[in-house]
């Protein structure tokens, strides 16, 4: 009996082993599930509740936040008083869409929110969106 002849009768095995692929995909799924909640940008504020339609959020939205204490942030970076207009104007020099979302704590005085909105509009922002939480229906 020829050993080489016996091995050639088997043919080639052409099946793909998908077990390692499934293992890698499950690990990636767990990693993304754990890290996704941590990727929210901005400062934690207590938002007012309102019944409105949800807006589609653009990919690179700039979020201006006003804390209860009155401190103002662009995304997570604190902005000193009076510099919001100049910093936003500098950010929008090379942008086509000039959109800003404003997150203000519900306990911030109305006058402060309006003053901040005027500074944002003065920086050349074309669209200003107000961020709220959905009202609970009871």
């Amino acid at each position: 009996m020829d050993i080489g002849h016996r091995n050639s009768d088997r043919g080639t095995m052409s099946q793909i082993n998908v077990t390692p692929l499934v293992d890698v995909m499950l690990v990636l799924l767990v990693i993304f599930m754990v890290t996704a909640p941590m990727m929210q940008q901005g400062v934690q504020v207590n938002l007012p509740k309102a019944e409105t339609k949800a807006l589609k959020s653009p990919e690179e939205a700039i979020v201006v936040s006003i804390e209860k204490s009155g401190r103002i942030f662009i995304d997570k970076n604190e902005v000193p008083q009076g510099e919001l207009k100049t910093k936003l104007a500098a950010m929008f020099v090379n942008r086509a869409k000039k959109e800003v979302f404003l997150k203000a704590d519900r306990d911030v005085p109305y006058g402060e929110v309006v003053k901040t909105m005027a500074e944002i509009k003065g920086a050349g922002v074309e669209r200003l969106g107000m961020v709220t939480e959905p009202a609970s229906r009871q």
Side-chain angles (χ1 to χ4, degrees):
M1 257 196 174
D2 187 14
I3 296 177
H5 179 63
R6 188 170 35 159
N7 286 339
S8 65
D9 288 342
R10 292 184 185 175
T12 59
M13 187 171 157
S14 61
Q15 295 178 350
I16 298 174
N17 187 2
V18 295
T19 305
L21 176 67
V22 171
D23 291 343
V24 170
M25 295 304 290
L26 287 174
V27 168
L28 287 175
L29 177 67
V30 170
I31 290 171
F32 286 129
M33 286 173 56
V34 169
T35 58
M38 295 178 210
M39 296 183 71
Q40 290 184 353
Q41 61 177 329
V43 178
Q44 185 67 29
V45 294
N46 192 8
L47 295 173
K49 297 186 184 313
E51 289 188 31
T52 59
K53 286 194 264 181
L55 295 174
K56 292 182 180 177
S57 176
E59 295 176 0
E60 296 181 23
I62 293 180
V63 179
V64 175
S65 304
I66 308 173
E67 278 188 337
K68 186 177 183 178
S69 63
R71 297 186 329 179
I72 298 174
F73 295 83
I74 297 177
D75 292 330
K76 290 185 179 182
N77 304 318
E78 186 171 0
V79 179
Q81 290 288 340
E83 293 185 22
L84 179 64
K85 184 177 177 179
T86 55
K87 289 203 181 234
L88 281 176
M91 292 175 80
F92 284 118
V93 169
N94 295 325
R95 285 185 177 229
K97 287 186 176 183
K98 297 182 179 179
E99 297 178 326
V100 170
F101 290 110
L102 179 62
K103 287 172 53 175
D105 195 284
R106 75 173 117 208
D107 296 326
V108 174
Y110 181 69
E112 291 295 318
V113 175
V114 171
K115 187 172 94 174
T116 304
M117 289 172 64
E119 284 188 52
I120 292 170
K121 283 291 192 177
V125 172
E126 296 165 356
R127 294 182 65 195
L128 175 62
M130 301 292 290
V131 180
T132 61
E133 288 182 346
S136 59
R137 296 180 186 227
Q138 296 181 10

